[in-house]
Amino acid sequence: MSIIPNILFAIILIAGIGYFTLNVKKLVRNIKLGRDVDVSDNTPIRWKNMTRIALGQSKMVKRPIAGFLHIIVYVGFVIINIEVLEIIIDGLFGTHRIFSGLGTLYGVLIGTFEVLALLVFVSVTLFWIRRNIIKLQRFWKSEMKGWPKADGNIILYFEMVLMALFLVMNATDVHFQDMQNGNVISQFIAPLFNNFSQATLHIIERSAWWLHIIGILVFLNYLYFSKHLHILLAFPNTYYGKVKPKGELDNLESVTKEVMMMMDPNADPFATPPENESAEEEIVKFGASDVQDLNWVQLLNAYTCTECGRCTSECPANQTGKKLSPRKIMMDTRDRLEEVGKNIDANKGVLNDDGKQLLGDYITTEELWACTSCNACVEACPVSIDPLSIIIDMRRYLVMEQSAAPAELNNMMTNIENNGAPWPYNQMDRLNWKDE
Amino acid sequence: MNELLKVPTMAEYMAQGKQPEVLFWVGCSGSFDDRAKKITKAFVKILNQAKVDFAVLGTEESCTGDPAKRAGNEFLFQMQAVTNIEVLNAYEVKKIVTACPHCFNTIKNEYPQLGGQYEVMHHTQFLKSLLEEGKLTIAGGQYKGKRITFHDPCYLGRANNVYEAPRDLIRKLEAELVEMKNCKSKGLCCGAGGAQMFKDAEKGDKEVNVERTEQAIEVKPDIIAAGCPFCNTMMTDGVKAKDKEAEVDVMDIAELIANAQDL
């Protein structure tokens, strides 16, 4: 018996996993380009959120049809992957269906996989129909042209082909069909191959087997380049997701320092800072104009976004025809981060100024100013992404670094500064209503 | 009727060496906006009726900084916050009630990190607690059997998960509570939050408040109830834009309760 296929298998397996590992390292490096943020608090709540939202898919079912189909694909995909273990052992050691010795249990397992494979195939087909024939509005927004649209479909084709290969592999496996055990779906496909010779059947079975495992490895490596990355990142993302009330915006510590100094009558603003501090303290930018100004959780958010568009379809600004789309904010952040990452790779680990940034080159001020901070996007996201935090950080940059707020907002802020109210009324008149 | 309004200030309480149970944080809108002032007065009438021991800051109150923070001016926000916290802490305030969800959210969630720890309640929560303690009774009065829909303010609902208190109060009015297509956690913004109140909207097909008012009108209410002075303005404008002023009123829950009691 030749061991060439086994060696070939080992090479493909190592190459597949190796390249994936390489990309995961790049992913982690890119995410770490963000500012540090302390997320070590509320551990029990974070575990609960991850279990409920990512593992339990609790937010997916808010839209029952998509939610139900998604759960089938999710459960199916996870469980069918147990089969990969058998494939890997068979591939490495030249065995055939090593677990078939389990007898009835094997039948139950493979039978379950077959049913799931069929259900996944049907669900994925329905997803494809929703995207391409029914043309659900949220999949046809302006940010969904080109690659995002193709990516969505490629993932569906991948899953259709992988499921079909699994069933064909079982249907053409004479040995397996003879066992009459577990072939609950494939027995109905088998008759299609009735007139085929043993040799042809064997070739088809082997081809399906090889294509199935190679397909899985290719799909694994496709993840990094695709929105499908959410199948991995949904877990850390829901863990690190916001645990504070949605209405609570973070407190800029750098600003607090300045404010406290201004309010402190004993502080001398012209004093030279103590030796040990001054060297460490770099000048902090207020707000964010590029990806490195965002924190790493926001960057993780960007990689986790699967472009489902639930945020955008709930966004009041988007619903009334404004340019803002929370999904686009996330996609832009990811695109820019990838661009920065590639720049770093090309320049041996350092970022060469490319004259571009997230603000302006990707996200326009018109989008940022259209946000009502209503948190509909945050509520809608099935994987705890917070587009609002990015919008606010970019507004902070516009206002505090560039003084580039719309004129009316500048008026409002001047009024607060001078009168303690957003309107030009005197603070001394605050209680006049009592006697009116 | 106005002479009946009892609105003590914290300074007056302090002068008498007393401390009120609760501080009523009126907010800029409730202090200056003509429509919102009616809400403020309605709430005070209820507080007076229920003999609640409260006070206001009056001229010592200042903007919480919410619109500044959401517009991106963290600096101005923190200046406002620190100043307000100094005043509140000087009066040793423990409990705050406000009729504005933006003030509610800011004082409740964003002041603690800057040294302001208080128990903060939205007025609908506070009214519900008065009801439960038996200090307040609510009867249907003129609203018995009316169709009322409640517009969830983003900063009360999604931002802080308060959905039931305002609804419980509406039910107490023996009114028929009808829900809009988008309600509770799926509520649609009135269009004023995030400092939008103070600027024109970006170019689009429609104003957010018109979209929201259309959703409200769809359920054919007699009254659109609100729990936020900004939502109130936006929905009132929306009703005007749809030429429905004759059929639909926009009212704050405090006003509904005060009117039902003929206060």
Side-chain angles (χ1 to χ4, degrees):
Chain A
M1 201 174 106
S2 162
I3 60 156
I4 290 171
N6 308 355
I7 295 170
L8 193 64
F9 182 88
I11 292 170
I12 293 173
L13 190 69
I14 291 165
I17 293 172
Y19 188 57
F20 176 70
T21 314
L22 220 68
N23 278 331
V24 168
K25 276 188 183 156
K26 200 182 286 178
L27 180 80
V28 172
R29 196 256 340 250
N30 287 355
I31 289 172
K32 283 187 172 165
L33 290 174
R35 283 189 301 107
D36 200 16
V37 57
D38 183 18
V39 274
S40 58
D41 58 334
N42 293 297
T43 320
I45 299 175
R46 291 180 186 280
W47 280 108
K48 204 181 113 204
N49 283 348
M50 188 181 89
T51 314
R52 206 167 40 91
I53 302 171
L55 197 68
Q57 309 257 306
S58 60
K59 283 195 146 185
M60 280 307 295
V61 290
K62 293 265 163 83
R63 297 198 181 191
I65 299 174
F68 179 67
L69 296 176
H70 187 269
I71 286 179
I72 292 176
V73 176
Y74 160 71
V75 171
F77 211 71
V78 170
I79 296 180
I80 293 168
N81 272 310
I82 299 173
E83 166 70 5
V84 175
L85 187 65
E86 184 180 46
I87 293 183
I88 290 175
I89 296 174
D90 284 349
L92 288 175
F93 301 105
T95 48
H96 184 70
R97 294 189 180 264
I98 182 100
F99 295 153
S100 57
L102 295 170
T104 323
L105 179 62
Y106 188 73
V108 172
L109 278 174
I110 299 288
T112 314
F113 298 157
E114 288 204 351
V115 172
L116 284 170
L118 181 69
L119 287 175
V120 169
F121 190 90
V122 172
S123 304
V124 170
T125 309
L126 291 174
F127 275 143
W128 186 88
I129 292 171
R130 279 158 56 91
R131 253 173 207 269
N132 298 286
I133 299 182
I134 302 174
K135 298 196 175 181
L136 282 193
Q137 221 200 344
R138 64 193 160 107
F139 298 123
W140 291 79
K141 298 261 174 190
S142 57
E143 68 267 24
M144 295 307 285
K145 293 192 180 108
W147 171 245
K149 178 167 176 259
D151 185 24
N153 281 327
I154 290 170
I155 293 161
L156 297 177
Y157 298 141
F158 247 116
E159 287 170 357
M160 285 181 208
V161 171
L162 287 179
M163 292 307 113
L165 285 170
F166 174 70
L167 289 173
V168 167
M169 172 184 106
N170 284 354
T172 51
D173 188 343
V174 184
H175 164 69
F176 174 65
Q177 292 291 327
D178 285 345
M179 282 165 52
Q180 298 271 328
N181 190 5
N183 53 349
V184 284
I185 305 293
S186 61
Q187 61 177 313
F188 299 105
I189 306 172
L192 291 176
F193 302 98
N194 265 349
N195 302 323
F196 289 54
S197 70
Q198 279 295 69
T200 321
L201 270 182
H202 184 67
I203 291 170
I204 298 176
E205 193 271 336
R206 282 291 89 190
S207 308
W209 186 92
W210 276 99
L211 287 173
H212 184 65
I213 185 67
I214 292 172
I216 287 171
L217 288 171
V218 171
F219 199 32
L220 179 73
N221 281 288
Y222 178 75
L223 293 187
Y224 178 76
F225 306 94
S226 157
K227 76 192 191 78
H228 211 50
L229 204 46
H230 81 284
I231 63 169
L232 300 174
L233 296 187
F235 294 89
N237 201 69
T238 47
Y239 180 86
Y240 293 117
K242 193 169 182 174
V243 286
K244 294 183 285 193
K246 285 196 189 64
E248 178 180 343
L249 297 184
D250 69 339
N251 185 47
L252 270 192
E253 304 258 349
S254 48
V255 171
T256 311
K257 267 189 215 159
E258 305 238 343
V259 170
M260 290 306 173
M261 196 160 77
M262 284 185 69
M263 306 294 285
D264 179 4
N266 300 318
D268 174 8
F270 303 109
T272 14
E275 290 285 318
N276 50 353
E277 265 183 46
S278 60
E280 305 285 312
E281 220 168 333
E282 47 178 323
I283 301 161
V284 245
K285 199 196 268 184
F286 294 130
S289 60
D290 210 347
V291 284
Q292 300 97 307
D293 309 326
L294 296 170
N295 67 48
W296 67 262
V297 174
Q298 289 169 315
L299 300 184
L300 172 65
N301 278 184
Y303 273 119
T304 308
C305 175
T306 198
E307 300 164 15
C308 70
R310 291 183 183 207
C311 52
T312 293
S313 77
E314 299 289 333
C315 172
N318 193 276
Q319 279 181 28
T320 52
K322 279 106 188 160
K323 280 228 177 78
L324 175 62
S325 162
R327 169 173 58 189
K328 180 177 169 293
I329 301 284
M330 302 319 300
M331 292 166 72
D332 286 342
T333 306
R334 173 176 172 155
D335 288 350
R336 173 62 186 156
L337 184 54
E338 270 296 291
E339 188 178 58
V340 168
K342 281 183 189 138
N343 182 320
I344 292 175
D345 288 335
N347 294 296
K348 301 188 178 64
V350 282
L351 177 65
N352 236 358
D353 187 12
D354 59 359
K356 283 163 84 182
Q357 58 173 12
L358 183 60
L359 178 66
D361 296 306
Y362 286 86
I363 299 172
T364 62
T365 52
E366 183 180 347
E367 293 162 67
L368 296 172
W369 291 117
C371 173
T372 68
S373 75
C374 75
N375 270 301
C377 55
V378 183
E379 176 74 38
C381 182
V383 289
S384 307
I385 291 170
D386 185 355
L388 175 58
S389 71
I390 297 182
I391 295 173
I392 295 289
D393 277 343
M394 295 186 84
R395 283 185 178 183
R396 285 170 173 169
Y397 179 81
L398 284 171
V399 172
M400 291 191 287
E401 294 279 347
Q402 300 204 306
S403 305
E408 305 134 301
L409 289 187
N410 279 333
N411 286 340
M412 175 270 287
M413 294 187 284
T414 312
N415 285 328
I416 293 181
E417 230 174 304
N418 297 335
N419 315 320
W423 297 287
Y425 297 111
N426 194 319
Q427 186 160 359
M428 287 304 121
D429 294 336
R430 264 192 113 93
L431 200 51
N432 290 4
W433 56 268
K434 184 174 86 160
D435 308 308
E436 280 169 9
Chain B
M1 195 141 83
N2 276 342
E3 56 268 29
L4 297 176
L5 277 190
K6 280 187 294 207
V7 193
T9 62
M10 289 300 285
E12 287 163 13
Y13 260 85
M14 183 110 151
Q16 296 166 32
K18 286 198 299 184
Q19 177 80 15
E21 268 168 43
V22 58
L23 168 77
F24 170 32
W25 184 275
V26 183
C28 301
S29 193
S31 303
F32 293 120
D33 181 89
D34 285 336
R35 177 68 188 85
K37 281 192 260 188
K38 294 182 184 162
I39 302 170
T40 307
K41 288 192 218 172
F43 184 57
V44 169
K45 284 176 193 166
I46 304 171
L47 294 179
N48 285 167
Q49 160 94 0
K51 299 193 169 51
V52 175
D53 181 24
F54 79 99
V56 298
L57 281 172
T59 56
E60 289 182 277
E61 190 186 283
S62 187
C63 174
T64 58
D66 157 85
K69 185 172 182 99
R70 268 140 261 273
N73 197 338
E74 179 74 7
F75 198 84
L76 178 55
F77 162 74
Q78 290 199 16
M79 294 287 285
Q80 288 298 120
V82 169
T83 317
N84 283 324
I85 290 167
E86 270 183 10
V87 174
L88 291 167
N89 288 353
Y91 282 122
E92 292 175 24
V93 169
K94 301 276 178 307
K95 191 171 175 181
I96 298 175
V97 60
T98 177
C100 174
H102 293 269
C103 299
F104 166 73
N105 175 69
T106 300
I107 303 175
K108 177 175 170 285
N109 297 323
E110 290 164 359
Y111 277 19
Q113 300 168 58
L114 297 166
Q117 310 268 358
Y118 320 101
E119 183 194 344
V120 190
M121 291 177 99
H122 184 245
H123 70 315
T124 56
Q125 293 175 308
F126 189 74
L127 291 173
K128 201 188 158 197
S129 72
L130 290 181
L131 197 69
E132 280 162 0
E133 289 162 23
K135 291 184 182 161
L136 175 72
T137 46
I138 300 178
Q142 55 176 291
Y143 300 112
K144 201 168 173 176
K146 294 266 193 217
R147 280 174 76 84
I148 301 182
T149 188
F150 179 66
H151 162 75
D152 286 283
C154 306
Y155 274 86
L156 184 65
R158 264 194 304 272
N160 289 293
N161 288 316
V162 180
Y163 299 111
E164 289 313 317
R167 285 179 170 77
D168 287 345
L169 294 172
I170 292 172
R171 286 190 202 100
K172 284 282 169 200
L173 291 166
E174 296 162 73
E176 185 190 349
L177 177 64
V178 282
E179 295 289 359
M180 290 182 234
K181 175 169 83 179
N182 284 318
C183 63
K184 298 185 183 170
S185 66
K186 289 196 79 176
L188 187 81
C189 181
C190 71
Q196 298 293 328
M197 181 77 186
F198 307 99
K199 62 182 259 299
D200 286 329
E202 273 55 39
K203 205 159 68 48
D205 315 321
K206 205 190 251 183
E207 297 294 335
V208 175
N209 66 324
V210 172
E211 172 74 21
R212 183 53 167 167
T213 309
E214 283 170 2
Q215 289 190 351
I217 289 172
E218 231 167 71
V219 297
K220 299 189 169 43
D222 300 307
I223 294 156
I224 300 171
C228 168
F230 295 103
C231 296
N232 196 309
T233 304
M234 297 307 267
M235 299 303 281
T236 305
D237 287 351
V239 170
K240 274 185 202 144
K242 300 292 318 172
D243 270 331
K244 292 278 180 190
E245 300 124 289
E247 295 130 76
V248 187
D249 282 332
V250 181
M251 304 279 278
D252 190 89
I253 289 183
E255 293 178 298
L256 293 175
I257 292 172
N259 289 350
Q261 318 287 87
D262 284 325
L263 295 176

